Amino acid sequence: HFPVSGMRSSGLRTDVWMALSPQERAGAAYVAYARRRVGMTLTAAEADVNRVAVQIAAEDPPDRTRRVPRVFDLRETVIRGIRPTLLLLFAASGLLLLIACATTAWLLLLQSVARARETATRVALGASRMQLAVQHLAEGLLIASIGAALGVVLSVVLTPTIVSMAADYLPRVDEIVVDRAVLLFALLSAV
């Protein structure tokens, strides 16, 4: 479906896409989507489209009204109006993650200071630095894993509600889901 708002078929699902025959180009303006080759810039793609348009103009009868081809980046077209909001949301969620990580680290540091006597006793009884580090790492990983699990559960529960509230403002809102990438990010963040 066309993800660009304002198109006549925006939001409509299409079961089959068929190539446009060169003999059927009479009359209307056409919208085409293409994927750029890796490394091809938008300027180079526009020059290539203009070259093909000149070839088509040479083949067509001279009395036809000429249309000038225009090339747009689809991603920029889709998110043009919402980009500042998305960047702000991304920055806010990154800041929230940073605050949560700093708070957890601070709490773990306070806990290790409060357990200084226990640590000194373990050292006196022969515990190595590696054993102490493994113990603190295991405690921290357990706390981070519980926090990540709660975050994933909250995101699974709240995502449909938030998506339904923002459906009128966000492009491609039906693609916003908690998927493997989100779960992998949560796992890596916890670690």
Short mmCIF file of all heavy atoms in Angstrom, two decimals, residues 148-163 176-179 182-183 186:
data_model
loop_
_atom_site.label_atom_id
_atom_site.label_comp_id
_atom_site.label_asym_id
_atom_site.label_seq_id
_atom_site.Cartn_x
_atom_site.Cartn_y
_atom_site.Cartn_z
N ALA A 148 14.34 -5.37 32.91
CA ALA A 148 14.10 -5.52 31.48
C ALA A 148 12.83 -6.33 31.22
O ALA A 148 12.05 -6.00 30.32
CB ALA A 148 15.30 -6.17 30.80
N ALA A 149 12.62 -7.38 32.00
CA ALA A 149 11.42 -8.20 31.83
C ALA A 149 10.16 -7.38 32.12
O ALA A 149 9.17 -7.45 31.38
CB ALA A 149 11.47 -9.42 32.74
N LEU A 150 10.20 -6.57 33.19
CA LEU A 150 9.06 -5.71 33.48
C LEU A 150 8.84 -4.68 32.38
O LEU A 150 7.70 -4.38 32.01
CB LEU A 150 9.25 -5.02 34.83
CG LEU A 150 9.11 -5.91 36.06
CD1 LEU A 150 9.48 -5.12 37.32
CD2 LEU A 150 7.70 -6.46 36.19
N GLY A 151 9.93 -4.14 31.84
CA GLY A 151 9.82 -3.18 30.73
C GLY A 151 9.21 -3.80 29.49
O GLY A 151 8.39 -3.18 28.82
N VAL A 152 9.61 -5.04 29.17
CA VAL A 152 9.06 -5.72 28.00
C VAL A 152 7.58 -6.00 28.21
O VAL A 152 6.76 -5.79 27.31
CB VAL A 152 9.84 -7.02 27.72
CG1 VAL A 152 9.10 -7.90 26.74
CG2 VAL A 152 11.22 -6.70 27.19
N VAL A 153 7.21 -6.45 29.41
CA VAL A 153 5.79 -6.72 29.69
C VAL A 153 4.98 -5.43 29.56
O VAL A 153 3.91 -5.41 28.94
CB VAL A 153 5.62 -7.36 31.08
CG1 VAL A 153 4.17 -7.37 31.51
CG2 VAL A 153 6.19 -8.77 31.09
N LEU A 154 5.50 -4.34 30.13
CA LEU A 154 4.79 -3.05 30.01
C LEU A 154 4.67 -2.61 28.55
O LEU A 154 3.63 -2.10 28.13
CB LEU A 154 5.51 -1.98 30.83
CG LEU A 154 5.17 -1.92 32.30
CD1 LEU A 154 6.05 -0.88 33.00
CD2 LEU A 154 3.71 -1.58 32.51
N SER A 155 5.74 -2.80 27.78
CA SER A 155 5.67 -2.37 26.38
C SER A 155 4.69 -3.22 25.58
O SER A 155 3.98 -2.71 24.73
CB SER A 155 7.06 -2.41 25.73
OG SER A 155 7.53 -3.73 25.64
N VAL A 156 4.63 -4.53 25.86
CA VAL A 156 3.66 -5.39 25.17
C VAL A 156 2.24 -4.97 25.52
O VAL A 156 1.36 -4.94 24.66
CB VAL A 156 3.91 -6.87 25.52
CG1 VAL A 156 2.76 -7.74 25.08
CG2 VAL A 156 5.21 -7.35 24.89
N VAL A 157 2.01 -4.62 26.78
CA VAL A 157 0.66 -4.24 27.22
C VAL A 157 0.28 -2.84 26.73
O VAL A 157 -0.85 -2.62 26.28
CB VAL A 157 0.57 -4.33 28.77
CG1 VAL A 157 -0.72 -3.72 29.27
CG2 VAL A 157 0.69 -5.78 29.23
N LEU A 158 1.22 -1.90 26.79
CA LEU A 158 0.87 -0.51 26.50
C LEU A 158 1.01 -0.10 25.03
O LEU A 158 0.42 0.89 24.62
CB LEU A 158 1.73 0.42 27.36
CG LEU A 158 1.48 0.37 28.86
CD1 LEU A 158 2.42 1.31 29.59
CD2 LEU A 158 0.04 0.71 29.18
N THR A 159 1.80 -0.84 24.24
CA THR A 159 2.01 -0.45 22.85
C THR A 159 0.71 -0.35 22.05
O THR A 159 0.51 0.66 21.35
CB THR A 159 3.01 -1.40 22.16
OG1 THR A 159 4.27 -1.27 22.80
CG2 THR A 159 3.16 -1.07 20.69
N PRO A 160 -0.20 -1.32 22.12
CA PRO A 160 -1.45 -1.16 21.35
C PRO A 160 -2.25 0.08 21.75
O PRO A 160 -2.83 0.76 20.89
CB PRO A 160 -2.23 -2.44 21.66
CG PRO A 160 -1.21 -3.43 22.08
CD PRO A 160 -0.14 -2.64 22.76
N THR A 161 -2.26 0.41 23.03
CA THR A 161 -3.00 1.59 23.49
C THR A 161 -2.36 2.87 22.95
O THR A 161 -3.05 3.75 22.43
CB THR A 161 -3.02 1.63 25.03
OG1 THR A 161 -3.58 0.40 25.50
CG2 THR A 161 -3.84 2.80 25.53
N ILE A 162 -1.05 2.96 23.07
CA ILE A 162 -0.35 4.16 22.61
C ILE A 162 -0.47 4.29 21.09
O ILE A 162 -0.68 5.38 20.56
CB ILE A 162 1.12 4.14 23.06
CG1 ILE A 162 1.17 4.25 24.59
CG2 ILE A 162 1.91 5.25 22.42
CD1 ILE A 162 2.53 4.02 25.18
N VAL A 163 -0.35 3.17 20.38
CA VAL A 163 -0.46 3.19 18.93
C VAL A 163 -1.86 3.63 18.50
O VAL A 163 -2.02 4.42 17.56
CB VAL A 163 -0.11 1.80 18.35
CG1 VAL A 163 -0.55 1.67 16.91
CG2 VAL A 163 1.38 1.57 18.45
N ILE A 176 4.00 -0.78 13.95
CA ILE A 176 4.61 -0.56 15.26
C ILE A 176 4.21 -1.71 16.17
O ILE A 176 3.07 -1.82 16.59
CB ILE A 176 4.18 0.78 15.86
CG1 ILE A 176 4.61 1.92 14.95
CG2 ILE A 176 4.76 0.95 17.25
CD1 ILE A 176 4.11 3.28 15.37
N VAL A 177 5.16 -2.59 16.45
CA VAL A 177 4.92 -3.76 17.28
C VAL A 177 6.15 -4.04 18.13
O VAL A 177 7.24 -3.53 17.86
CB VAL A 177 4.60 -5.02 16.44
CG1 VAL A 177 3.29 -4.86 15.71
CG2 VAL A 177 5.72 -5.32 15.47
N VAL A 178 5.97 -4.84 19.16
CA VAL A 178 7.09 -5.33 19.94
C VAL A 178 7.55 -6.61 19.26
O VAL A 178 6.87 -7.63 19.32
CB VAL A 178 6.69 -5.59 21.41
CG1 VAL A 178 7.85 -6.16 22.19
CG2 VAL A 178 6.18 -4.31 22.05
N ASP A 179 8.70 -6.55 18.59
CA ASP A 179 9.18 -7.70 17.83
C ASP A 179 10.53 -8.17 18.36
O ASP A 179 10.96 -7.77 19.44
CB ASP A 179 9.26 -7.35 16.34
CG ASP A 179 10.17 -6.16 16.07
OD1 ASP A 179 10.72 -5.59 17.03
OD2 ASP A 179 10.32 -5.79 14.90
N VAL A 182 13.10 -5.44 19.30
CA VAL A 182 12.83 -4.80 20.59
C VAL A 182 13.29 -5.70 21.74
O VAL A 182 13.92 -5.24 22.69
CB VAL A 182 11.34 -4.46 20.73
CG1 VAL A 182 11.02 -3.95 22.12
CG2 VAL A 182 10.92 -3.46 19.68
N LEU A 183 12.98 -6.98 21.63
CA LEU A 183 13.38 -7.92 22.68
C LEU A 183 14.89 -8.05 22.76
O LEU A 183 15.46 -8.11 23.85
CB LEU A 183 12.73 -9.29 22.44
CG LEU A 183 11.20 -9.30 22.49
CD1 LEU A 183 10.68 -10.68 22.15
CD2 LEU A 183 10.70 -8.85 23.83
N ALA A 186 16.22 -4.97 24.47
CA ALA A 186 15.99 -5.05 25.90
C ALA A 186 16.99 -6.00 26.57
O ALA A 186 17.53 -5.69 27.65
CB ALA A 186 14.55 -5.53 26.19
#
